[in-house]
Amino acid sequence: MRVYISIDMEGVTGIATMDQVVRGGHGYPRSQRLMTAEANAAIEGAFAAGADSVLVNDSHGTMDNLLHEELDPRARLIFGTPKLDCMAEGISAEHDVAMFLGYHAAAGSPGVLAHTYSSHFYEVRLNGRPVSEAEVNALQAAAVGVPVGLLTGDDVICGVAEKAFPGVRTVAVKVAHGHTAADSLSPAEARRLIREAAAETVRGAGELTPLRLPEVFELEIDMPSTPAAELGAQIPGVRRIADKTLAGTFTTPTEVLGCVTVCYHLAADAMISRMALYGRR
């Protein structure tokens, strides 16, 4: 039994503010410890239920957030960015089940720190429907035949997962009270629930089925500025369909994630350039 874990930070217990999830924030070091502890809870539960291996992909921001020296030594870790498959980097047909930890709702949703891949994207749509990172990453898992068996995060993304992923278990570690406010479980209680859910997921992995893949993927991304959209339109196969909106037609989730990753960096660069101008005196 081989387990794949993709872990984000915004959906971790005790986290609700920007100061906690951005490197350099006063709360960020504590968030690293909280994130690492939830990863360890899932790893422990997976191995306790008979997993042979666990691969963890650090999936937040710069993707080097987990404290390596504190991570369960039985797991392997993928970290760093950019990665072609982004938050789904490393998943393969060798894995039996995927777990998405610390996830959050899509851009435009009422969830805690809700966004889709980049806080600079106003919205990301797939085949005409707004999507969360969890849904796109689940399609990448499905492309290699892997089902999503567990998702943890706030109540909003857990509700999305329960409707989207057949047989998924969810652990809502907090209830959204706004974009940067939450009613959270204690870290100890959240870890207990995650540990138990991970074990149950491994035991029941044989009953899970991957998502059904559409024949084509019509991706649309609302960029943060006109210059960012102009640059994004230079990507082969990507067209600009509105002042700040890019669109592309793809045949695999890997192509979708590749486009999202490039647009992520273009959006960030565009906003950094703009903020430098705003900061002039």
Side-chain angles (χ1 to χ4, degrees):
M1 173 65 65
R2 297 188 176 186
V3 176
Y4 175 85
I5 294 175
S6 171
I7 182 165
D8 206 348
M9 183 179 278
E10 288 90 350
V12 169
T13 319
I15 295 175
T17 70
M18 290 298 294
D19 178 72
Q20 292 178 285
V21 297
V22 176
R23 187 177 301 278
H26 295 295
Y28 175 76
R30 180 164 59 90
S31 296
Q32 288 182 281
R33 295 192 295 272
L34 292 170
M35 180 183 181
T36 303
E38 289 199 3
N40 282 337
I43 294 166
E44 182 180 341
F47 278 113
D52 299 303
S53 68
V54 175
L55 176 65
V56 179
N57 182 31
D58 189 326
S59 298
H60 173 69
T62 54
M63 300 188 177
D64 59 347
N65 310 278
L66 292 168
L67 301 174
H68 297 200
E69 67 275 16
E70 295 182 15
L71 195 67
D72 191 312
R74 294 172 292 180
R76 292 190 64 86
L77 174 65
I78 297 175
F79 63 99
T81 187
K83 296 179 285 196
L84 178 60
D85 288 332
C86 197
M87 298 175 71
E89 184 75 18
I91 197 165
S92 72
E94 295 182 348
H95 292 107
D96 298 286
V97 66
M99 301 180 186
F100 293 166
L101 309 180
Y103 269 53
H104 53 80
S109 298
V112 176
L113 295 167
H115 65 279
T116 305
Y117 292 103
S118 169
S119 59
H120 301 312
F121 294 160
Y122 289 110
E123 190 172 79
V124 175
R125 295 175 294 279
L126 204 54
N127 294 340
R129 186 176 62 85
V131 288
S132 65
E133 297 167 0
E135 292 164 282
V136 179
N137 296 334
L139 290 171
Q140 174 64 340
V144 292
V146 181
V148 178
L150 173 64
L151 181 140
T152 73
D154 72 6
D155 60 315
V156 179
I157 190 59
C158 285
V160 170
E162 288 164 3
K163 294 178 181 178
F165 309 151
V168 72
R169 289 176 173 80
T170 62
V171 178
V173 302
K174 55 193 170 190
V175 175
H177 278 219
H179 187 72
T180 53
D183 176 349
S184 178
L185 295 176
S186 74
E189 176 64 5
R191 293 166 201 163
R192 182 187 70 80
L193 294 173
I194 291 170
R195 189 179 302 111
E196 293 177 355
E200 293 169 358
T201 297
V202 168
R203 295 189 189 104
E207 301 173 6
L208 298 169
T209 57
L211 292 182
R212 178 177 294 181
L213 295 173
E215 292 184 5
V216 296
F217 300 87
E218 298 286 350
L219 174 68
E220 294 181 4
I221 300 176
D222 292 336
M223 300 290 277
S225 67
T226 300
E230 290 174 341
L231 289 172
Q234 305 308 308
I235 301 170
V238 173
R239 59 195 185 277
R240 188 172 164 213
I241 60 173
D243 182 51
K244 299 177 183 176
T245 302
L246 299 175
T249 302
F250 303 102
T251 58
T252 69
T254 293
E255 293 174 350
V256 170
L257 286 170
C259 182
V260 167
T261 298
V262 173
C263 288
Y264 173 101
H265 288 281
L266 290 176
D269 287 345
M271 294 306 293
I272 290 171
S273 298
R274 176 172 288 188
M275 292 309 295
L277 293 174
Y278 290 163
R280 287 181 177 176
R281 292 291 186 270

